Amino acid sequence: MGCLKSIIRAVVIVLALIGFKAVGGWDFVKNKIPLLFEKPSQETLIEKSKDVADFSGISEEYEIDKTANVLGFKTVLAEHKASGQKLIILNPGKKTLLSKQDFNGSTLSKKLNELNDKFAYQFIRLENLKIKKQGTFSALGQTVPYARFEADVVNLPVGKIQGLVAVAEYNEGKEKQSKILLAANENDKYSQIITEQFFNKVK
């Protein structure tokens, strides 16, 4: 339950960024404090992202927004420039947040529904979180399981959103580790094609 709570927190952070940008907050802050928002080059950001994944193969349709430590996890946030769709990879290192096994049957749907009943945010929260579809696609050089979801967002000018949660696994020495893939956008703007094309180029 704790790992799924962390994943949903990461989704809410993405939604907060989408909402903040939608109301013009980003441009306002950039205009007021321009020196704090001088963005590093894509080459620099890709280099800094190497400990999470290799983003050197992504197309010019996408850009790395930032690398950060979110909820204690090494994280890379990217964006599809035309649609504003957000794409995230979390690398929790030795801590297993989610495994491919969790996507079998109805396990993930059940856990997310339980979490939706118990977990609430004071200001930003998801309501009516539903798993709409589960499947697989190619990402990070392997076949990964995913779950498509939709939810209502409270206290943001976004309303309903759609997104995806997926997991990739790899061996680090004798230990199996995982990386969490997230994507989210406003309900009518979310594109599975955009998500798959991006993660297919990440290694």
Side-chain angles (χ1 to χ4, degrees):
M1 182 64 68
C3 66
L4 287 169
K5 184 183 292 185
S6 297
I7 292 167
I8 297 303
R9 281 178 178 167
V11 172
V12 170
I13 288 170
V14 175
L15 299 177
L17 290 171
I18 293 171
F20 187 64
K21 190 173 182 180
V23 298
W26 186 252
D27 291 334
F28 175 79
V29 175
K30 283 175 68 177
N31 291 334
K32 294 296 182 185
I33 322 174
L35 291 178
L36 295 180
F37 293 89
E38 290 182 358
K39 191 172 180 179
S41 68
Q42 282 298 287
E43 292 76 13
T44 299
L45 289 169
I46 287 171
E47 182 65 28
K48 288 177 65 177
S49 303
K50 279 186 175 179
D51 57 349
V52 175
D54 179 1
F55 294 86
S56 60
I58 64 174
S59 77
E60 294 182 357
E61 293 179 60
Y62 305 88
E63 66 177 8
I64 306 297
D65 271 354
K66 63 179 64 179
T67 62
N69 190 302
V70 177
L71 306 172
F73 313 132
K74 294 179 180 178
T75 306
V76 175
L77 172 65
E79 179 178 339
H80 181 254
K81 291 185 282 188
S83 69
Q85 186 154 307
K86 305 295 184 184
L87 306 120
I88 293 179
I89 297 183
L90 292 89
N91 182 3
K94 294 182 180 180
K95 185 174 182 179
T96 300
L97 296 180
L98 197 63
S99 71
K100 288 184 175 181
Q101 188 67 28
D102 291 324
F103 286 79
N104 290 343
S106 61
T107 303
L108 185 63
S109 180
K110 181 180 178 182
K111 288 181 178 179
L112 286 176
N113 280 317
E114 288 174 353
L115 180 61
N116 190 43
D117 291 337
K118 296 177 181 179
F119 193 81
Y121 288 86
Q122 292 181 352
F123 181 67
I124 302 169
R125 67 182 187 275
L126 303 180
E127 291 186 348
N128 305 317
L129 180 67
K130 297 176 182 177
I131 298 297
K132 303 301 291 183
K133 179 181 179 182
Q134 290 184 234
T136 61
F137 68 97
S138 178
L140 279 70
Q142 60 186 270
T143 299
V144 303
Y146 73 84
R148 281 277 303 275
F149 67 86
E150 68 176 28
D152 296 323
V153 186
V154 178
N155 295 328
L156 279 181
V158 175
K160 188 178 288 290
I161 59 100
Q162 289 190 38
L164 171 145
V165 178
V167 63
E169 293 181 341
Y170 62 101
N171 292 319
E172 186 69 32
K174 295 182 179 180
E175 297 182 357
K176 180 175 286 188
Q177 297 185 14
S178 61
K179 295 179 183 178
I180 308 302
L181 318 181
L182 297 166
N185 208 341
E186 296 177 58
N187 191 50
D188 58 345
K189 294 182 179 179
Y190 179 79
S191 167
Q192 184 73 10
I193 293 173
I194 287 172
T195 296
E196 293 191 21
Q197 286 180 342
F198 176 79
F199 287 124
N200 183 253
K201 295 298 184 181
V202 181
K203 304 297 182 185

